[in-house]
Amino acid sequence: MLARILRGPDSRIGLVTVPVAAVLAALVVGGVLMAVEGVAPLSAYGEVVLGVFGRTRGLIDTAVIATPLILLGLGIAVAYRARVFTIGAEGQYIAGALAGTAWVTLGPPLPGLLLLVSGLVVAVLTGAAWAGITAWMLARFGASVVITSLLLNYVAAAGLAWAVRVGIRDPGSFTPQSRPVGDAALPDIPGTTIHLGFFFALLAVPALAAVLRRTRFGFRADVLGANPEVLAVNEARPAWTRFAVLALAGSFAGLAGFVEVAGTTERMTPAFATGYGFTAIIVALLGRLRPLGVLVAALLLAGLTVGFDEAERVFIIPSTTVGVIQALIVVFFVAGDALSRRPGRRGRH
Amino acid sequence: MDTLFTLATLAAAIRLAIPVAVAALGELVSERAGVLNLGLEGTMLFGALAGYLATLSSGTPWIGLGGGLVAGAACGAVLALLMVVVRADQIVTGLAFTLFAVSATTYLFEQSYTIGQAPPRIPSLSMAPLVVIVLVVLAGVWFLLTRTTAGLVLSATGEAPEAVDALGYRIPQVRTLATVTGSALAGLAGAMLVCGPLGLFVQNVTAGRGWVALALVVFARWRPGRAVAGALLFGLCDAAQLRLQGTATAIPYEVFLALPYVVTLLALMVRARRSGTPAALAVPFVRGGT
């Protein structure tokens, strides 16, 4: 029974119905909010859709915003499958990006491709190490993953503030920011801002699906989520599997961070931490902790962001509306999922 | 460093510790009943906003505190509905609620004043009454848990719900009551943050204090007095950070920005492994087992 918690009921219908219903319900509430504001919801939503599909730019922006969300969401999904509830993706994302940027801007002068690849490796390892602190604190002290991973986000945020002010600051810049990544920049599709990172993210989806379905690691992660004792009985130590899923989640977050710097922002500023690590939790849950679901959910949330951005130019909508709708999606999803799984007749009758 | 530990720093430490202490006491109540409320940070945010708005419209920070209490209880009712009645996963529910609260409070706050204008400040309470409130809450929680039958039932619900059920108490009711009470305190904590010397609501004003409070409950091994002591420790770090931020020292101020969180992490290392965790914490209760 526990195996089905979060990952949805066995039936294909329940699997998709609840997330879709949650999205629709959140959009309805969002519409009511806009109506209260004096904006006609249907025309606003029309503008949201047009903002994404009505112009090439909308689709490009959606892909760019979805890129870190997909990568972060995939990592979170694996951890949550094992019932390791990390909320440290934001910190791992910052730490990975910082280390990667430090390497490519201050490290040895390497030729372009080597610089990029080594930067990616540094970022992935740093992300994994940052998540590893959480794993270590759990294994050694039994400290709650939820709490330690979240506290580490604040530590990483302080690190970011220091790094762009002092540590990896561009000496020629007046405001605190790092040097541009230069040769380590990810190439864009000509004529667009979609960078190679989007294809990394797209490739990671089937790759992770294969790992989850076919490897011992994937199986152990799921068993750990279902019943850690079964894992222990089978002589696979739960602690190691927990460490592995956290390190994997950290790797994905570190990768997402570096890809965002090298592909989109090209340098780090204090504004680098935009909360993608938290939005990615919604992505992972809504995607039912499945790689393909994560892809769909990330594109959906990115599309909502882009579409609302466009709609705000036409209508007077508070810029935080899309955040409220995204947050409502996850609340409705959690409630709907629990309701749909509630043992109706078993309890009392 | 010798100027660090002055009376002013101590006063700042107490001021910063107040909301954390009250939130931790609230969380302690619900965790003793077996409900792990990760919506604490979100509840504090709602309490802070309610405290701000209630003070703004009434002109009286005391009404603001009441507003925080009521908003917190309302959050607790929603959380209990999801976690206790519907039996949604406690961890996922709490996370979802906090994510929701961050967006929702920002949205509601922006609705409360004209864009382009600075949000108005509210009259603030001095520290003395706030300290009294902390002491009253501490005494109340301690008395409830150690000197009353209700407290005994509450703690037993977190340890051995089957036994409490067999005695004829209804587990969902006990847990709902505990969650609502705990959340009301968290809402009050949020309002104390805003209606105290701060006198202002800003986006994400709690800045992770709810999470620190959650960590403190573990650190305190579910004992009220130790939770307040832990909050004071957090307050000291936070005060040191603020104090050193302006001064040009060899140590960058970001170190002190991270310090309260690092100290909390260190505290978890010292305490986490030791016993004291309610046995049925975060375990949904189903009569007759699953």
Side-chain angles (χ1 to χ4, degrees):
Chain A
M1 188 225 160
L2 268 170
R4 280 191 287 145
I5 288 185
L6 289 166
R7 291 183 52 200
D10 293 329
S11 75
R12 292 263 157 196
I13 302 168
L15 193 71
V16 179
T17 321
V18 174
V20 170
V23 171
L24 289 177
L27 288 176
V28 168
V29 175
V32 171
L33 286 178
M34 287 189 280
V36 171
E37 294 285 305
V39 175
L42 284 180
S43 14
Y45 279 130
E47 200 62 41
V48 170
V49 173
L50 267 179
V52 179
F53 295 102
R55 49 192 197 119
T56 332
R57 181 86 215 155
L59 290 171
I60 292 172
D61 288 349
T62 303
V64 171
I65 293 180
T67 300
L69 290 179
I70 297 167
L71 290 170
L72 286 159
L74 289 175
I76 293 170
V78 177
Y80 284 23
R81 282 171 87 108
R83 292 187 66 78
V84 175
F85 290 106
T86 170
I87 25 181
E90 181 81 2
Q92 295 146 19
Y93 171 81
I94 295 170
L98 268 182
T101 307
W103 172 260
V104 298
T105 56
L106 301 176
L110 298 167
L113 186 64
L114 206 58
L115 191 67
L116 174 59
V117 172
S118 60
L120 280 173
V121 171
V122 168
V124 165
L125 291 179
T126 308
W130 200 254
I133 303 173
T134 298
W136 174 72
M137 288 196 62
L138 173 68
R140 177 77 179 74
F141 306 102
S144 154
V145 168
V146 173
I147 291 167
T148 56
S149 65
L150 192 109
L151 292 172
L152 283 167
N153 289 342
Y154 291 95
V155 181
L160 172 67
W162 176 79
V164 294
R165 189 175 67 87
V166 183
I168 59 167
R169 182 179 188 152
D170 182 351
S173 157
F174 188 68
T175 53
Q177 59 178 14
S178 77
R179 284 198 181 93
V181 292
D183 284 351
L186 284 165
D188 292 345
I189 299 180
T192 76
T193 49
I194 299 180
H195 51 81
L196 197 59
F198 182 59
F199 298 96
F200 289 172
L202 289 184
L203 281 176
V205 172
L208 189 68
V211 166
L212 288 172
R213 190 167 304 174
R214 304 208 187 276
T215 66
R216 192 172 290 177
F217 165 74
F219 177 69
R220 281 183 179 163
D222 284 348
V223 174
L224 181 62
N227 190 343
E229 277 141 42
V230 171
L231 201 63
V233 167
N234 285 290
E235 290 176 22
R237 280 192 287 169
W240 269 112
T241 307
R242 282 197 192 96
F243 183 82
V245 294
L246 274 168
L248 188 81
S251 306
F252 270 104
L255 179 66
F258 189 72
V259 158
E260 184 67 5
V261 181
T264 308
T265 61
E266 306 224 329
R267 61 165 94 220
M268 291 191 81
T269 67
F272 184 76
T274 46
Y276 279 144
F278 298 103
T279 312
I281 296 176
I282 307 180
V283 166
L285 291 175
L286 201 63
R288 289 279 192 202
L289 310 185
R290 289 165 162 85
L292 190 63
V294 166
L295 176 67
V296 175
L299 288 171
L300 175 79
L301 292 197
L304 272 179
T305 307
V306 171
F308 263 95
D309 224 30
E310 197 60 24
E312 273 163 31
R313 278 168 226 197
V314 185
F315 298 97
I316 306 165
I317 309 170
S319 60
T320 39
T321 310
V322 66
V324 173
I325 292 176
Q326 290 183 346
L328 279 172
I329 291 175
V330 64
V331 172
F332 287 148
F333 171 76
V334 170
D337 212 28
L339 277 174
S340 72
R341 200 177 289 117
R342 202 176 178 203
R345 273 146 284 151
R346 241 169 13 122
R348 234 158 257 171
H349 301 284
Chain B
M1 293 295 271
D2 55 347
T3 55
L4 194 58
F5 295 103
T6 58
L7 217 56
T9 316
L10 188 67
I14 294 171
R15 176 169 60 81
L16 293 162
I18 285 168
V20 184
V22 174
L25 288 169
E27 178 69 18
L28 199 144
V29 170
S30 67
E31 286 196 15
R32 276 290 192 97
V35 178
L36 178 65
N37 182 6
L38 295 186
L40 192 69
E41 171 89 2
T43 306
M44 277 181 84
L45 269 174
F46 273 117
L49 182 68
Y52 174 76
L53 294 178
T55 311
L56 198 61
S57 55
S58 68
T60 319
W62 287 103
I63 293 177
L65 292 186
L69 202 68
V70 172
C75 290
V78 172
L79 284 161
L81 182 72
L82 287 170
M83 297 194 294
V84 180
V85 181
V86 182
R87 288 200 293 272
D89 186 280
Q90 292 186 7
I91 292 175
V92 176
T93 306
L95 275 180
F97 186 81
T98 295
L99 283 172
F100 169 70
V102 172
S103 299
T105 51
T106 308
Y107 178 86
L108 291 171
F109 175 56
E110 284 179 1
Q111 304 296 299
S112 70
Y113 66 94
T114 323
I115 291 170
Q117 284 178 342
R121 291 192 74 90
I122 52 172
S124 52
L125 285 168
S126 63
M127 231 169 73
L130 296 182
V131 172
V132 173
I133 293 176
V134 175
L135 294 176
V136 168
V137 171
L138 172 63
V141 169
W142 175 84
F143 186 79
L144 170 80
L145 290 176
T146 59
R147 293 286 181 274
T148 65
T149 316
L152 195 65
V153 172
L154 185 91
S155 295
T157 300
E159 294 289 349
E162 300 79 15
V164 179
D165 184 58
L167 286 173
Y169 295 99
R170 321 242 340 224
I171 301 297
Q173 281 176 10
V174 176
R175 287 193 167 168
T176 300
L177 218 56
T179 309
V180 172
T181 310
S183 299
L185 288 179
L188 175 67
M192 288 168 91
L193 183 68
V194 165
C195 301
L198 190 61
L200 196 64
F201 183 90
V202 291
Q203 184 179 353
N204 230 338
V205 66
T206 48
R209 288 186 174 83
W211 297 106
V212 171
L214 266 154
L216 282 179
V217 175
V218 182
F219 168 73
R221 281 193 272 165
W222 292 267
R223 305 249 183 256
R226 291 179 194 161
V228 174
L232 204 57
L233 184 69
F234 169 83
L236 268 175
C237 296
D238 214 6
Q241 175 260 123
L242 287 173
R243 194 157 179 83
L244 289 167
Q245 218 177 89
T247 51
T249 51
I251 311 162
Y253 82 87
E254 287 94 348
V255 169
F256 296 95
L257 202 62
L259 196 62
Y261 305 103
V262 173
V263 169
T264 311
L265 282 166
L266 293 176
L268 283 176
M269 287 186 192
V270 180
R271 286 291 188 191
R273 182 147 283 214
R274 308 210 190 142
S275 59
T277 319
L281 186 62
V283 181
F285 177 76
V286 181
R287 186 177 276 175
T290 38

